[in-house]
């Protein structure tokens, strides 16, 4: 059936309502996609269950909204809505690929906020929320925590119902790289070519290689990277409907980003999911972040302005896989990476992929293992089975590839750093 002949539902959304998008769903069914190489919609693709699609979730949320408005609470219906939202990976493909942008993750936040006013949160949620709120302290004390982390991770898995949590903590970046609040206030001392790096709490705790790859790659290309002290963006709090703490963390991060922007130097976000959160979720929550670029966006912009990058000594081909949330929101991201690699003398394969099945904590939760593994097998196992140097832009994607595929991709800027290290 073509879209021109599909009988759409009328748009009768309540004004200024958190579930407005549920009423925007007009039945076009773009979300019912079985194509393995596109992000929309991973939970439906893995289950073929209409209830696990944006269309099905919008239906459920409308029913729940009308039930709440009537004052007749049906516990069975409410629990059914909670379960179908729990199975959402939060990839945001619906927010950008749906013709009417039915944003299920944002509405899930509103549902959870309401739901947990009258229901007890699971212990796992409380521990996740506390981990995020106190992540800056954990990062600062990582050298002291590291010897005990394997034991703490094993205990955390039992308490939260998760598997395969990271087994080691990242090392603290050296002091010469850090750009503290005091340094931001004396930004006139920063040299030309400075780029400011900003990280999220999960990569700050568990992915030290990501920082090293960005620093080495940007230095090889002629820039002076500096790293902001980590402040959590509130992703876990937003996902779980803890809006009060999300707003507090977001406000603190906004102050830091505004101070960084006032230096006049470009800001680069290390992980695509973090950058997409700033662009998609912060404005919906009433925040207006300064521009935070992905590294390939920044480098492509530099090339467009006439900058020339150094060339590698030997040409070869690499394979670059992009984060699904990034691809949904920015369809040109793979082409940008191809241009950047070409500028240093390398050829980049950029095959299309859907969701890897990790999606933050989703792929670690025991109850989601079947879906997580099925999604990896559907879309990521074949592209990661290669003899080519392999890169993946998302932290979740790199973890999932190592966990299920036996490969250990680097961030693409890490491949550039490695290639330029051996140039003539």
């Amino acid at each position: 059936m073509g879209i021109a002949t599909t009988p759409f539902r009328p748009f009768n959304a309540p004004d200024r309502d958190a579930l407005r998008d549920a009423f925007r769903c007009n039945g076009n069914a773009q979300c019912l996609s079985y194509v393995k190489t596109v992000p929309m919609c991973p939970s439906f693709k893995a289950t073929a269950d209409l209830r696990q699609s944006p269309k099905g979730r919008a239906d459920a949320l409308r029913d729940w909204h009308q039930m709440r408005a009537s004052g007749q609470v049906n516990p069975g219906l409410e629990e059914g809505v909670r379960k179908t939202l729990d199975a959402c990976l939060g990839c945001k493909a619906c927010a950008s690929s749906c013709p009417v942008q039915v944003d299920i993750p944002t509405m899930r936040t509103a549902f959870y906020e309401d739901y947990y006013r009258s229901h007890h949160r699971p212990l796992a949620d409380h521990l996740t929320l506390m981990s995020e709120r106190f992540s800056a302290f954990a990062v600062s004390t990582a050298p002291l925590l590291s010897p005990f982390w394997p034991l703490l991770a094993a205990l955390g898995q039992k308490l939260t119902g998760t598997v395969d949590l990271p087994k080691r903590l990242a090392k603290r970046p050296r002091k010469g790289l850090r750009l503290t609040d005091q340094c931001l206030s004396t930004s006139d001392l920063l040299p030309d070519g400075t780029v400011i790096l900003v990280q999220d709490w999960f990569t700050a705790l568990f992915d030290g290689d990501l920082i090293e790859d960005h620093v080495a790659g940007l230095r090889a290309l002629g820039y002076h990277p500096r790293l902001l002290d980590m402040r959590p963006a509130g992703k876990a709090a937003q996902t779980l409907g803890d809006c009060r703490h999300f707003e507090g963390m977001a406000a603190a991060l906004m102050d830091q980003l505004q101070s960084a922007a006032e230096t006049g130097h470009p800001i680069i976000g290390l992980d695509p999911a973090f950058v997409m959160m700033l662009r998609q979720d912060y404005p919906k929550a009433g925040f207006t972040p300064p521009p935070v670029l992905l590294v390939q966006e920044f480098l492509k912009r530099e090339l467009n302005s006439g900058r020339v990058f150094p060339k590698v000594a030997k040409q070869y081909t690499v394979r670059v896989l992009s984060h699904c949330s990034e691809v949904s929101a920015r369809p040109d991201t793979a082409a940008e990476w191809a241009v950047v690699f070409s500028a240093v003398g390398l050829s980049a394969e950029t095959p299309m992929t859907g969701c890897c099945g990790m999606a933050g904590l989703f792929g670690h939760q025991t109850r989601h293992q079947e879906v997580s593994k099925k999604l990896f097998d559907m879309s990521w196992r074949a592209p990661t089975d290669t003899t080519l140097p392999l890169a993946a832009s998302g932290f979740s994607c790199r973890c999932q590839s190592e966990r299920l595929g036996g490969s250990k991709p680097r961030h693409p800027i890490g491949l550039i750093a490695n290639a330029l290290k051996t140039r003539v």
Side-chain angles (χ1 to χ4, degrees), residues 89 250 279 358 413:
L89 284 84
R279 294 186 189 179
M358 179 58 80
I413 195 69

Side-chain angles (χ1 to χ4, degrees), residues 111-404:
F111 172 83
Y112 281 166
E113 183 183 28
D114 184 278
Y115 181 84
Y116 286 117
R117 288 192 187 115
S118 56
H119 297 76
H120 291 295
R121 281 190 181 276
L123 174 63
D125 285 9
H126 283 295
L127 293 175
T128 299
L129 293 168
M130 287 178 60
S131 296
E132 181 178 46
R133 287 203 302 276
F134 296 105
S135 56
F137 174 76
V139 169
S140 67
T141 58
L144 298 176
L145 291 175
S146 286
F148 309 101
W149 183 251
L151 178 62
L152 292 173
L155 177 62
Q157 288 184 165
K158 289 185 178 180
L159 292 175
T160 59
T162 54
V163 296
D164 300 332
L165 290 179
K167 298 298 188 295
R168 62 184 178 88
L169 294 177
K171 296 179 182 178
R172 279 198 84 187
R174 56 188 179 276
K175 289 185 177 180
L177 180 64
R178 291 173 55 203
L179 189 58
T180 63
D181 292 346
Q182 184 178 2
C183 294
L184 288 174
S185 64
T186 56
S187 59
D188 54 322
L189 301 179
L190 296 175
D192 291 341
T194 293
V195 291
I196 299 174
L197 306 180
V198 57
Q199 57 190 329
D200 64 290
W201 72 284
F202 227 70
T203 56
L205 277 172
F206 303 118
D207 195 2
D209 292 344
L210 180 65
I211 297 172
E212 292 180 8
D213 281 347
H214 275 77
V215 170
L218 288 165
R219 282 181 175 168
L221 294 171
Y223 299 97
H224 302 286
R226 300 290 298 276
L227 180 70
L228 287 178
D229 286 340
M230 192 282 298
R231 291 184 183 172
K235 179 67 172 178
Q238 185 204 43
T239 298
L240 295 172
D242 185 3
C243 294
R244 179 172 65 89
H245 284 111
F246 162 71
E247 290 173 1
M249 286 182 277
L253 179 59
M254 282 288 298
D255 289 343
Q256 185 191 46
L257 292 177
Q258 293 292 356
S259 297
E262 288 169 6
T263 69
H265 295 290
I267 306 173
I268 295 175
L270 299 188
D271 189 73
F274 168 71
V275 174
M276 292 304 106
M277 182 185 186
L278 294 178
R279 294 186 189 179
Q280 296 177 320
D281 298 322
Y282 269 43
K284 289 182 179 181
F287 298 98
T288 307
V292 177
L293 304 174
L294 292 159
V295 66
Q296 76 273 17
E297 282 184 285
F298 167 71
L299 296 175
K300 176 69 161 32
R301 189 178 70 178
E302 292 287 279
L303 289 169
N304 290 343
S305 69
R307 183 147 184 153
V308 177
F309 292 155
K311 297 291 192 294
V312 298
K314 180 181 179 182
Q315 295 185 356
Y316 53 89
T317 299
V318 301
R319 179 171 291 176
V320 179
L321 308 177
S322 297
H323 193 288
C324 62
S325 296
E326 180 184 16
V327 171
S328 295
R330 305 187 60 258
D332 293 336
T333 189
E336 288 174 341
W337 275 122
V339 169
V340 171
F341 274 95
S342 178
V344 298
L346 296 176
S347 175
E349 289 184 1
T350 57
M352 293 180 63
T353 54
C355 178
C356 72
M358 179 58 80
L361 282 175
F362 182 95
H364 291 293
Q365 291 166 330
T366 304
R367 64 186 184 273
H368 294 142
Q369 288 308 294
E370 182 180 353
V371 168
S372 177
K373 292 175 181 178
K374 185 172 183 178
L375 286 169
F376 183 82
D377 289 341
M378 287 172 64
S379 183
W380 274 70
R381 185 170 296 281
T384 56
D385 184 13
T386 179
T387 58
L388 296 175
L390 180 65
S393 63
F395 175 61
S396 290
C397 311
R398 294 192 296 276
C399 291
Q400 186 81 320
S401 297
E402 184 175 6
R403 181 174 82 116
L404 300 181

Side-chain angles (χ1 to χ4, degrees), residues 55-66:
K55 186 175 184 291
R57 291 178 176 123
D59 286 343
L61 285 166
R62 278 198 309 276
D63 289 346
W64 176 78
H65 185 283
Q66 290 163 353

Side-chain angles (χ1 to χ4, degrees), residues 31-35 38-57 83-94 104-105 108 324 354-357 359 362 368 370-372 374-375 378:
C31 56
L32 306 185
S33 170
Y34 291 95
V35 182
V38 300
M40 176 76 96
C41 159
S43 54
F44 174 75
K45 231 187 292 284
T47 63
D49 184 344
L50 181 62
R51 294 169 296 181
Q52 307 303 335
S53 70
K55 186 175 184 291
R57 291 178 176 123
K83 286 183 177 179
T84 189
L85 292 174
D86 175 68
C88 171
L89 284 84
C91 69
K92 287 276 188 177
C94 52
I104 296 298
R108 176 175 61 179
C324 62
C355 178
C356 72
F362 182 95
H368 294 142
E370 182 180 353
V371 168
S372 177
K374 185 172 183 178
L375 286 169
M378 287 172 64

